[in-house]
Amino acid sequence: MTSPAALAPAADDPVNGAWPQGSMRAVAVVAHRTVETVRVPIPGPLAGHALVRVAYAGLCGTDLELLHGTASYVLDGRATHPHVVGHEWSGTVVAAPPGSGVAPGQTVVGQTMVPCESCAHCRGGRRNLCPHMREVGLYGLQGAAAEYVRVPASSLVPVPAAVDARSAALVEPAVTVVEAFRRAGCRESDRVAVVGTGSIGLLAVQLGAHLASYVDAVGVDPAGVELATGLGARCGLLPDRAEPGAYSLVVEASGAPAGFTTALRLVEPGGRVAAIGVAHAPVPEMDAARITLDGISLLGIRHGLDHYDDTLGLFARGVLRADPLINRVLPASDADQAFRLLEEGRGARPKILLRFDPSAPAHEDDHDH
């Protein structure tokens, strides 16, 4: 255990708020395919950093890959056991440096990516491509699936009063959707298809319905495509029912190799494909010649680091809604059950949240949907 003296802030690094000491609960992958709720030290004060009391931490397919050992961060050694997960989260500031823009008592959401801010990519406005990147809960920084998380104060974004902390936990996946539509230059005249009906796909359906002429949802899960129609999709289609070349913009949000093939099939000549999903296997039967001969723009979307404020605004205005995506809110002590739900399927509603602050409300309909 770190000594109280070591945890005390330096005299030249004051903080607003009391920085707690001792240990905390955290959810960690402790071995291959083994997740446990463990006790770890509360991170001590560090120059320029804030401490946040976590309300909710979301789990997604990347966390499942960390559990299974298939994530690139595990394969290349950036993530080792025990690994505290949690990169989608919201909470309340406990302590922060004066003048940092956040203060104790504020509800905040944390940016997952923490770039160096000094390399050519960061200086050139592409912080998401920083070669010295660290990511909360993925590699380089302890995850937020814990009672407290310590992050650079500059990585915290205040949550407006119109957005509850539970919804704010979905801002992290939503910023990537905002980046996709902005990079693709989505216009009101666009005809959009979203491939995939997981969290990112359903968020993309909602934003596409707001920005474009119409959006269709394409997925392999009938319950998922049905939910998409309730979130603004004109129709929900299985891949073999979607019309080839019918869309000016296709958002690939499934991460499945077959989804990428579907996206290329659906886009019209001169159209754009925004690839959000990460395919971890070769894409079969990809017609690469068509990309060239039909003048298709293929856009790789790596997060939306600079869109947290704008995305919170979309939630505040009701353009994006989180509750229809939330399947369960479970206490942190039920982390093993949460990961089993990830493995076994969650039905149409894809998102599982872990609740760390007992005062944070559970889902009003906290059961399987």
Side-chain angles (χ1 to χ4, degrees):
M1 183 72 64
T2 308
S3 70
L7 287 172
D12 59 352
D13 184 34
V15 294
N16 290 331
W19 198 294
Q21 303 175 18
S23 66
M24 64 179 183
R25 291 177 304 150
V27 173
V29 176
V30 297
H32 181 63
R33 290 183 176 271
T34 304
V35 63
E36 295 179 359
T37 302
V38 299
R39 295 205 72 85
V40 298
I42 297 172
L46 187 64
H49 286 62
L51 189 72
V52 179
R53 177 75 161 97
V54 176
Y56 302 97
L59 297 178
C60 74
T62 302
D63 297 299
L64 199 57
E65 291 171 2
L66 288 166
L67 178 67
H68 293 167
T70 57
S72 60
Y73 321 113
V74 176
L75 296 175
D76 63 19
R78 284 178 290 173
T80 57
H81 299 142
H83 178 83
V84 177
V85 298
H87 59 280
E88 306 173 6
W89 62 277
S90 64
T92 304
V93 176
V94 173
S100 63
V102 293
Q106 276 188 306
T107 300
V108 293
V109 64
Q111 297 174 351
T112 295
M113 289 184 164
V114 179
C116 74
E117 304 290 358
S118 61
C119 69
H121 283 300
C122 287
R123 295 195 309 271
R126 298 299 300 276
R127 297 192 303 153
N128 60 325
L129 299 179
C130 173
H132 310 296
M133 186 77 72
R134 295 173 296 159
E135 297 193 56
V136 175
L138 299 178
Y139 59 94
L141 291 169
Q142 183 171 285
E147 291 181 89
Y148 297 95
V149 63
R150 182 187 67 189
V151 293
S154 58
S155 295
L156 294 176
V157 183
V159 175
V163 182
D164 62 83
R166 189 172 58 227
S167 296
L170 273 75
V171 167
E172 193 276 344
V175 298
T176 304
V177 172
V178 174
E179 171 75 358
F181 279 90
R182 292 197 176 179
R183 284 276 309 281
C186 184
R187 302 176 292 270
E188 187 176 354
S189 59
D190 272 313
R191 293 156 283 110
V192 178
V194 173
V195 179
T197 58
S199 296
I200 292 225
L202 293 172
L203 289 164
V205 163
Q206 294 180 61
L207 188 54
H210 176 69
L211 295 175
S213 174
Y214 61 80
V215 58
D216 290 343
V218 181
V220 297
D221 175 25
V225 294
E226 181 180 355
L227 176 58
T229 61
L231 293 173
R234 183 186 66 163
C235 61
L237 302 164
L238 297 177
D240 60 355
R241 297 297 182 92
E243 181 182 352
Y247 301 95
S248 57
L249 170 60
V250 180
V251 177
E252 202 303 296
S254 73
F260 195 89
T261 304
T262 296
L264 288 177
R265 180 171 58 84
L266 298 184
V267 71
E268 69 181 10
R272 300 96 77 207
V273 173
I276 299 178
V278 180
H280 292 293
V283 177
E285 302 176 3
M286 184 178 76
D287 187 0
R290 183 167 180 255
I291 298 174
T292 303
L293 298 177
D294 281 355
I296 294 169
S297 297
L298 180 58
L299 306 168
I301 308 299
R302 188 186 181 194
H303 201 52
L305 181 55
D306 296 317
H307 302 314
Y308 279 78
D309 284 300
D310 289 345
T311 303
L312 281 162
L314 292 170
F315 277 100
R317 299 197 304 275
V319 174
L320 297 178
R321 294 186 294 144
D323 273 355
L325 278 61
I326 298 173
N327 183 295
R328 297 287 294 271
V329 178
L330 297 172
S333 56
D334 289 345
D336 55 343
Q337 180 185 353
F339 274 88
R340 283 198 302 272
L341 287 169
L342 286 179
E343 289 182 313
E344 297 168 2
R346 291 138 279 166
R349 299 191 183 202
K351 183 54 61 181
I352 304 292
L353 298 181
L354 291 175
R355 180 165 53 96
F356 285 87
D357 185 349
S359 66
H363 196 267
E364 63 184 9
D365 201 10
D366 190 12
H367 55 74
D368 286 318
H369 296 273

